[in-house]
Amino acid sequence: MIVDSSVDEINKLEERIQEASMPEESTKEYAIQAIEYINQKRIQNGKNPITHDSRVYELSMARTKDMHEYQYHDHTNPYTGTCPYNMKSNFGLKSNENVAENSYLFGTETNPTLYNPSYTEIIDGWMDSTGHRMNLLRYEHVAGSVACYGGFCVFLGLNHGNFGEGCYTASEGQAYASRFDNCTPEQMRQYEKLLQDYDRVPSVVNSQAEYQRAMSMYNQIENFRC
């Protein structure tokens, strides 16, 4: 049987071109290294390290692919309404497990790069942004993961509290974080202490005094500004 070698070479060339045009997908090893780098930042800022969670990795990857497919860069898909909160159960996360998202786009929504930046570049960029930094260093987080797909990247921090509960947009997150743009590290520690104290308040109070104390703490948190 005689095979046309030119046809075979053309097919191989087309396969290589197709492979080269596919978005790059980050690996679990990339995610683990990213969490190790995040832990360096957390320890430097007096926070406990977090572990890598494979379920959160799969959810993170699904988030990046969703953004790439629908060409948007936000915490909630503007076309389907999906977000980490209403996707989490599909990846084995329980009702008392919430994830808070950082996102990063290398390129533009309609023209993202095929390749992903280094995890150090992404995390350093997040550390320079008030809201993203707060999420990376959030005291409630116990685990997390990082994933990238074709220039879209996310970090999801896993906690057993309410942080990350519900669907929200990037503009809503930025409005919240802007309250802390001018805060000093000491002021941020004061804010975090308020949050931790409020977390200890029982869901059912036994007296008017306990109720007033809880409301006072809540109002301090809501009105905190720098």
Side-chain angles (χ1 to χ4, degrees), residues 2-36:
I2 300 176
V3 178
D4 188 339
S5 61
S6 63
V7 173
D8 189 47
E9 289 300 317
I10 290 173
N11 290 336
K12 290 180 180 179
L13 178 60
E14 289 178 345
E15 287 178 5
R16 288 196 293 269
I17 292 173
Q18 184 175 7
E19 289 174 359
S21 64
M22 289 292 292
E24 181 184 18
E25 181 174 326
S26 64
T27 64
K28 187 174 288 188
E29 288 72 25
Y30 175 104
I32 292 171
Q33 291 172 348
I35 292 299
E36 290 174 351

Side-chain angles (χ1 to χ4, degrees), residues 140-172:
E140 293 108 321
H141 290 331
V142 296
S145 192
V146 175
C148 294
Y149 184 79
F152 290 88
C153 303
V154 303
F155 159 74
L156 291 177
L158 172 68
N159 65 87
H160 295 103
N162 298 322
F163 192 53
E165 191 173 64
C167 293
Y168 60 95
T169 65
S171 59
E172 289 171 332

Side-chain angles (χ1 to χ4, degrees), residues 110-159:
T110 56
N111 189 30
T113 64
L114 292 174
Y115 302 101
N116 302 316
S118 68
Y119 61 83
T120 56
E121 178 181 344
I122 300 167
I123 295 165
D124 288 343
W126 282 332
M127 287 295 290
D128 288 335
S129 167
T130 301
H132 295 124
R133 177 187 174 90
M134 289 175 67
N135 190 29
L136 289 178
L137 303 181
R138 191 76 177 192
Y139 73 92
E140 293 108 321
H141 290 331
V142 296
S145 192
V146 175
C148 294
Y149 184 79
F152 290 88
C153 303
V154 303
F155 159 74
L156 291 177
L158 172 68
N159 65 87

Side-chain angles (χ1 to χ4, degrees), residues 72-86:
Y72 73 95
H73 182 222
D74 209 328
H75 299 303
T76 299
N77 185 319
Y79 307 101
T80 66
T82 55
C83 73
Y85 181 70
N86 57 29

